[in-house]
């Protein structure tokens, strides 16, 4: 089957750095994506890693290690507005499925 | 540019009633997905489509049917609603699947009583 595992909750203080991990099992894996969702609104795309290594987009970075079936999202200089749920997602090239992890709720405290 | 539009936004059904949720996208995307989101369960894939006229089952397809007669529309049907189908339903579309950004609709909040 296909599955992605991530921690359910993470808490950090404003200005700090936080890492959200994701381990996966996806047949025909094509890469790992990350999405942000505020208060049950529409999820929005943050980043995508097709190859091993680090991708940086402003305060957010995402990492992928295919050999370890592992990735993470790194958020730097945390702001209160970063309080949200974060989802990793894996695309299967064999089937066309886009499968999400259960999500990590990030709470940023002053 | 409207993006992905879901209709309706809210609905209350009685057990046993049927309904259809409509997802429309104006970006000419090939891939479309239906998810349900329950507290603590993340986004679970119900059905999906990789192109006009094609549909496939996702992780939790039981009790739902779908159709993709036109490329821009993806319909999700509940033939006989059950309280277990109370959830928030999200539709998403993407150009080509792998690596491409999936765009989500605003969701449909469905309550089955």
């Amino acid at each position: 089957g296909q599955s992605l595992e991530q921690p359910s909750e993470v808490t950090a203080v404003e200005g700090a750095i936080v890492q959200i991990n994701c381990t996966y099992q996806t047949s025909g894996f094509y890469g790992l994506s990350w999405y942000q969702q505020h208060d049950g609104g529409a999820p929005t795309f943050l980043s995508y890693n097709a190859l091993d290594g680090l991708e940086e987009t402003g305060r957010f970075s995402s990492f992928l290690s295919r050999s370890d079936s592992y990735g993470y999202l790194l958020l730097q200089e945390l702001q209160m507005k970063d309080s949200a749920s974060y989802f990793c997602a894996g695309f299967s090239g064999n089937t066309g499925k886009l499968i999400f992890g259960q999500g990590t709720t990030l709470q940023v405290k002053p | 540019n409207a993006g992905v539009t879901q209709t309706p936004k809210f609905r209350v059904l009685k057990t046993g009633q049927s309904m259809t949720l409509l997802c429309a996208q104006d970006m000419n995307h090939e891939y479309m997905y239906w998810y349900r989101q329950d507290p603590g369960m993340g986004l679970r894939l119900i059905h999906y489509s990789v192109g006009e006229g094609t549909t496939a089952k996702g992780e939790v397809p039981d009790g739902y049917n779908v159709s993709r007669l036109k490329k821009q529309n993806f319909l999700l049907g509940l033939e006989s609603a059950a309280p277990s189908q109370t959830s928030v339903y999200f539709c998403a579309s993407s150009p080509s699947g792998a690596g491409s950004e999936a765009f989500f609709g605003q969701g449909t909040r469905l309550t089955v009583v």
Side-chain angles (χ1 to χ4, degrees):
Chain A
Q2 303 172 39
S3 65
L4 298 97
E5 299 289 332
Q6 49 182 132
S8 58
E9 294 181 1
V10 173
T11 301
V13 297
E14 201 172 6
I17 299 172
V18 70
Q19 179 174 313
I20 299 173
N21 299 321
C22 176
T23 57
Y24 63 85
Q25 290 184 333
T26 305
S27 62
F29 179 76
Y30 262 40
L32 198 67
S33 302
W34 289 91
Y35 288 79
Q36 180 189 59
Q37 184 183 38
H38 280 102
D39 295 330
T44 56
F45 176 83
L46 290 176
S47 67
Y48 171 71
N49 292 72
L51 303 175
D52 287 1
L54 192 68
E55 295 282 342
E56 297 182 67
T57 308
R59 295 187 296 114
F60 294 2
S61 303
S62 57
F63 172 83
L64 177 65
S65 170
R66 287 175 164 270
S67 59
D68 296 323
S69 298
Y70 164 76
Y72 66 72
L73 179 69
L74 190 73
L75 296 82
Q76 303 182 69
E77 300 174 12
L78 281 173
Q79 302 175 9
M80 297 300 291
K81 67 178 182 180
D82 296 330
S83 293
S85 293
Y86 293 84
F87 296 88
C88 57
F91 179 80
S92 169
N94 295 342
T95 64
K97 291 181 180 179
L98 181 63
I99 302 295
F100 284 76
Q102 292 185 335
T104 299
T105 300
L106 170 63
Q107 184 179 12
V108 180
K109 295 186 174 181
Chain B
N1 190 340
V4 179
T5 303
Q6 291 184 230
T7 309
K9 291 183 171 54
F10 302 91
R11 185 73 185 268
V12 177
L13 281 181
K14 293 183 179 179
T15 298
Q17 286 185 320
S18 64
M19 78 164 293
T20 300
L21 282 68
L22 172 63
C23 177
Q25 53 97 359
D26 60 3
M27 297 171 283
N28 201 36
H29 287 171
E30 292 293 335
Y31 287 67
M32 295 189 76
Y33 303 90
W34 274 109
Y35 296 91
R36 61 176 289 173
Q37 185 172 34
D38 304 293
M41 299 293 290
L43 292 157
R44 291 186 291 170
L45 182 64
I46 305 172
H47 286 281
Y48 66 104
S49 168
V50 299
E52 180 179 311
T54 73
T55 63
K57 294 181 179 180
E59 302 170 285
V60 289
D62 294 343
Y64 305 94
N65 56 73
V66 287
S67 65
R68 183 111 182 258
L69 299 179
K70 293 183 179 181
K71 188 176 185 179
Q72 63 267 33
N73 295 335
F74 195 28
L75 279 64
L76 178 70
L78 286 74
E79 292 185 347
S80 179
S84 60
Q85 293 179 304
T86 293
S87 188
V88 179
Y89 292 85
F90 284 101
C91 174
S93 72
S94 68
S96 62
S100 56
E101 176 179 352
F103 294 80
F104 281 79
Q106 290 302 309
T108 296
R109 284 157 177 74
L110 175 66
T111 301
V112 183
V113 297

